[in-house]
Amino acid sequence: MPWNGEDQVTQAFDEWKAVDADIRAYLLLSARWTQLAYATTWSESEREFSASFDPDRDDTEGHVDLFHRKVLGLWQDDYLWMLRSGALRDAVTAYEVYTEQSLSELMSRYVVTDGNGEKWRFAAKVHPGQLSPQWPTLRQIHKAIGIEIESGPVRYVRSLRHLLAHQRGRLRTEEQREAYAGEADQADWLIGEAYVGGDVPLSTERILAMMDDLAAAVRAADAVVWQHTWGRKGFPASLQDLAKKSKSPLDLTSVRA
């Protein structure tokens, strides 16, 4: 029977789905409120400047300086870029958490008996000093049960997350510019083009599209994981074979009566 009695999805899937929905709402609502707040602040700056404007003393563009002070120097294009960057990084993290939790959910439901009658539980290996399994570990275990968690679209999104997290989106080489040139939107001056020395362009529409790519990967993986966790396929024999390999990505814990 499914873990919640009705849906053929794992508990890890339901948790990922709720987080994914929150990230999407956060991105869309924050973008809407940001644009309204900046427009309101711009109008306030114009009104305040006009009320005290002296043509013999003041620059006619003084409202721009006033606006700049009101927003603490953070203009709308930079604010939205930071918002989109954070949302994408969070979405990738949610995907990675799903890949870990879905395996944990699967393996925690089984006790496996070896040829000597010894009973074991399986878990993804976590290296000393770390809190979670490394990505290659998760990928190897998923692949053993017929799942590819790093398809082309996922690889692209994770590489972009890496650029955002470790270089804050700065395009340092021509190769990077070419890799992410598709994120540019010449029709929107707030986003602009991709160029060496600049930040990778980010738009709300593309962030949502990349989240859709991650969602497709989660749904494909969960269809397989559910069958082994709550469906009729049972514990994957391939994981027992994987556990016997040298440098196995699996840890085994003895279950003693």
Side-chain angles (χ1 to χ4, degrees), residues 66-138:
L66 181 57
F67 174 82
H68 183 78
R69 294 195 297 272
K70 282 179 175 290
V71 299
L72 305 179
L74 182 62
W75 286 65
Q76 182 176 340
D77 56 340
D78 293 324
Y79 189 104
L80 289 173
W81 188 92
M82 294 170 65
L83 167 66
R84 293 160 181 158
S85 173
L88 183 63
R89 285 182 281 122
D90 199 17
V92 174
T93 298
Y95 175 73
E96 294 172 342
V97 168
Y98 165 79
T99 64
E100 177 185 353
Q101 289 186 338
S102 60
L103 287 180
S104 177
E105 184 175 346
L106 187 163
M107 291 186 286
S108 68
R109 283 183 49 80
Y110 295 98
V111 174
V112 178
T113 303
D114 64 19
N116 299 318
E118 183 77 16
K119 295 182 178 181
W120 303 89
R121 285 193 186 277
F122 290 68
K125 183 168 292 182
V126 178
H127 290 278
Q130 298 186 353
L131 299 176
S132 296
Q134 295 181 341
W135 181 251
T137 298
L138 295 172

Side-chain angles (χ1 to χ4, degrees), residues 14-53:
D14 271 354
E15 292 176 1
W16 163 84
K17 185 177 179 181
V19 172
D20 179 78
D22 284 348
I23 296 171
R24 290 171 187 266
Y26 162 76
L27 177 62
L28 293 171
L29 290 174
S30 297
R32 183 191 311 168
W33 294 334
T34 296
Q35 292 165 357
L36 177 60
Y38 272 89
T40 299
T41 304
W42 181 266
S43 297
E44 290 176 351
S45 300
E46 288 183 320
R47 287 197 305 271
E48 292 178 17
F49 180 72
S50 296
S52 60
F53 177 68

Side-chain angles (χ1 to χ4, degrees), residues 24-247:
R24 290 171 187 266
Y26 162 76
L27 177 62
L28 293 171
L29 290 174
S30 297
R32 183 191 311 168
W33 294 334
T34 296
Q35 292 165 357
L36 177 60
Y38 272 89
T40 299
T41 304
W42 181 266
S43 297
E44 290 176 351
S45 300
E46 288 183 320
R47 287 197 305 271
E48 292 178 17
F49 180 72
S50 296
S52 60
F53 177 68
D54 182 345
D56 296 327
R57 182 188 62 189
D58 296 328
D59 183 346
T60 57
E61 299 297 318
H63 62 287
V64 177
D65 291 335
L66 181 57
F67 174 82
H68 183 78
R69 294 195 297 272
K70 282 179 175 290
V71 299
L72 305 179
L74 182 62
W75 286 65
Q76 182 176 340
D77 56 340
D78 293 324
Y79 189 104
L80 289 173
W81 188 92
M82 294 170 65
L83 167 66
R84 293 160 181 158
S85 173
L88 183 63
R89 285 182 281 122
D90 199 17
V92 174
T93 298
Y95 175 73
E96 294 172 342
V97 168
Y98 165 79
T99 64
E100 177 185 353
Q101 289 186 338
S102 60
L103 287 180
S104 177
E105 184 175 346
L106 187 163
M107 291 186 286
S108 68
R109 283 183 49 80
Y110 295 98
V111 174
V112 178
T113 303
D114 64 19
N116 299 318
E118 183 77 16
K119 295 182 178 181
W120 303 89
R121 285 193 186 277
F122 290 68
K125 183 168 292 182
V126 178
H127 290 278
Q130 298 186 353
L131 299 176
S132 296
Q134 295 181 341
W135 181 251
T137 298
L138 295 172
R139 188 180 180 192
Q140 188 177 0
I141 300 172
H142 275 280
K143 187 168 290 187
I145 59 176
I147 300 170
E148 177 52 75
I149 60 174
E150 194 174 49
S151 61
V154 170
R155 189 179 307 113
Y156 176 85
V157 179
R158 291 188 74 248
S159 69
L160 178 53
R161 188 279 302 271
H162 182 86
L163 179 70
L164 294 171
H166 299 287
Q167 296 183 19
R168 205 172 180 274
R170 182 57 54 90
L171 300 172
R172 299 179 180 178
T173 66
E174 182 61 27
E175 289 74 19
Q176 287 180 326
R177 188 204 68 78
E178 291 179 358
Y180 303 109
E183 302 303 326
D185 185 352
Q186 298 180 5
D188 189 340
W189 68 271
L190 287 175
I191 298 171
E193 301 180 359
Y195 61 92
V196 175
D199 297 331
V200 60
L202 296 175
S203 70
T204 296
E205 291 73 18
R206 280 293 297 140
I207 299 300
L208 292 173
M210 286 184 278
M211 290 183 66
D212 288 344
D213 289 337
L214 295 174
V218 170
R219 294 180 187 280
D222 206 69
V224 177
V225 175
W226 186 87
Q227 285 293 340
H228 288 292
T229 307
W230 304 100
R232 297 183 177 181
K233 285 193 173 182
F235 190 80
S238 56
L239 294 188
Q240 296 189 60
D241 295 335
L242 187 61
K244 298 174 184 177
K245 292 185 176 182
S246 61
K247 298 183 179 179

